[in-house]
Amino acid sequence: MTAQNTTTPATFTGDASPYGGGEPYADYRTADFPFTQYANLADRQLGAGVIAANDEFFAMRENLLLPHAAVFDPEHFGHKGKVMDGWETRRRRGVSGEHPWPTEDDHDWALVRLGAPGVVRGIVIDTAHFRGNYPQAVSVEGTSVDGSPTPEELCADDVKWTTLVPRTPVGGHAANGFTVDVEQRFTHLRVNQHPDGGIARLRVYGEVVADPAWLAALGTFDVVALENGGQVEDASDRFYSPATNTIQPGRSRKMDDGWETRRRRDTGNDWIRYQLVQQSEIRAVEIDTAYLKGNSAGWAALSIRDGESGEWVEALPRTRLQPDTNHRFVLDAPVVGTHARVDIFPDGGISRLRLFGSLTEAGAAGLTARRQELGG
């Protein structure tokens, strides 16, 4: 099954120069992509995983989803050869001496479980440090299979795969980006490299689409959490770390796992604006400053808006925050809305925002309709 889609061709093709010493990223090829404001659905912190690959002779498939940039040690060799920070397969060969080359259809593949099901808006296939051993081309397919399917179940003949990135040449030592325009909800991806080679990192940017039945069963849940379908719409400052960190699962484990702004030298303040999973009734709030000790926000306030053109209503007045502390507030009265805004004063950061409540009747209907629009 192949859907109509629009992709931005990979910006880079061909080999990078052989490593000649010095900073390995000095000649790295990259670009600004129009979709990176979305959350990374292939984030290990969300629960993503590379559950299978047909070959990982030189480097393990799990490296694809590591959160940090790929590293390169020119002196690091193992008993199989050069140790690379990525997923690398062996060189493919033909069937005989008369036909020593791989066929047009030969390729290697890896199955990726997204951390949260959703609509994919863009994909980056990063070949950092793979200069002469990257794939000639790549392609990516998606499917939606609920539950926890095994690799064997995903590879069954009755599973329908949709093309997100058609077979496209890529470049070595480069961030190869693709815009995806397929309005479907996906749970798993199949990443193909033609015919063989190595990929350092995979990033899958998109919008989470939660399961209405699961949220209904929970009753009260975090209505702004990334894993439930909340998202950051905008922020005043992203200098040190992305605002999306504030709605990631779990508590922050280090300073850059939250949101921190640069130091202000004026009388303004910083803020983040969020879209909730759908219209919700909010009853309790958590604002956490974990690991932000000398740089946490001094005060915070929370406002809620119902609809794109609604008025902002103060849900939590400007309140003093303590460093490295999880602050909990039960609201005097529930507040109904579709959007939230946290203002911090004057600058600094918070690590997490939690808005506990439940979907309204209209919100539950909206989420169910959205799920059906995207393929059920």
Side-chain angles (χ1 to χ4, degrees), residues 1 143-145 152-161:
M1 174 180 174
T143 191
S144 184
V145 180
E152 292 75 21
E153 290 170 332
L154 288 169
C155 292
D157 292 339
D158 61 342
V159 174
K160 303 301 182 183
W161 291 90

Side-chain angles (χ1 to χ4, degrees), residues 190-343:
R190 184 162 59 192
V191 180
N192 306 303
Q193 47 179 337
H194 308 266
D196 54 40
I199 299 170
R201 296 289 187 268
L202 172 72
R203 302 292 185 249
V204 182
Y205 296 96
E207 301 173 55
V208 175
V209 180
D211 181 354
W214 174 253
L215 297 184
L218 292 179
T220 296
F221 59 93
D222 182 0
V223 299
V224 76
L226 181 61
E227 60 190 317
N228 294 330
Q231 58 182 300
V232 169
E233 285 192 329
D234 200 3
S236 61
D237 188 293
R238 299 178 176 87
F239 189 83
Y240 285 114
S241 47
T244 302
N245 283 352
T246 60
I247 54 175
Q248 287 277 10
R251 291 198 74 199
S252 175
R253 293 170 291 180
K254 51 193 177 77
M255 192 173 73
D256 67 349
D257 191 18
W259 173 60
E260 182 188 359
T261 72
R262 75 192 82 196
R263 301 188 187 209
R264 296 190 76 96
R265 303 306 186 198
D266 57 25
T267 57
N269 74 284
D270 289 315
W271 51 267
I272 307 174
R273 189 176 72 244
Y274 304 89
Q275 180 176 307
L276 309 184
V277 54
Q278 280 283 342
Q279 188 189 64
S280 304
E281 181 184 85
I282 301 163
R283 298 184 288 274
V285 177
E286 283 188 5
I287 300 176
D288 197 352
T289 58
Y291 290 95
L292 295 165
K293 299 181 178 181
N295 51 352
S296 67
W299 292 262
L302 177 73
S303 301
I304 304 297
R305 185 179 74 189
D306 191 23
E308 293 290 343
S309 59
E311 296 290 330
W312 288 104
V313 176
E314 183 180 81
L316 182 71
R318 191 180 305 187
T319 303
R320 189 74 166 94
L321 299 182
Q322 298 299 318
D324 195 27
T325 300
N326 191 25
H327 309 77
R328 290 181 170 177
F329 308 96
V330 176
L331 300 183
D332 293 336
V335 181
V336 172
T338 56
H339 296 75
R341 172 174 165 144
V342 62
D343 285 87

Side-chain angles (χ1 to χ4, degrees), residues 40-57:
N40 177 19
L41 303 183
D43 192 335
R44 285 286 300 169
Q45 196 169 352
L46 266 180
V50 187
I51 61 175
N54 72 307
D55 185 293
E56 47 187 329
F57 184 85

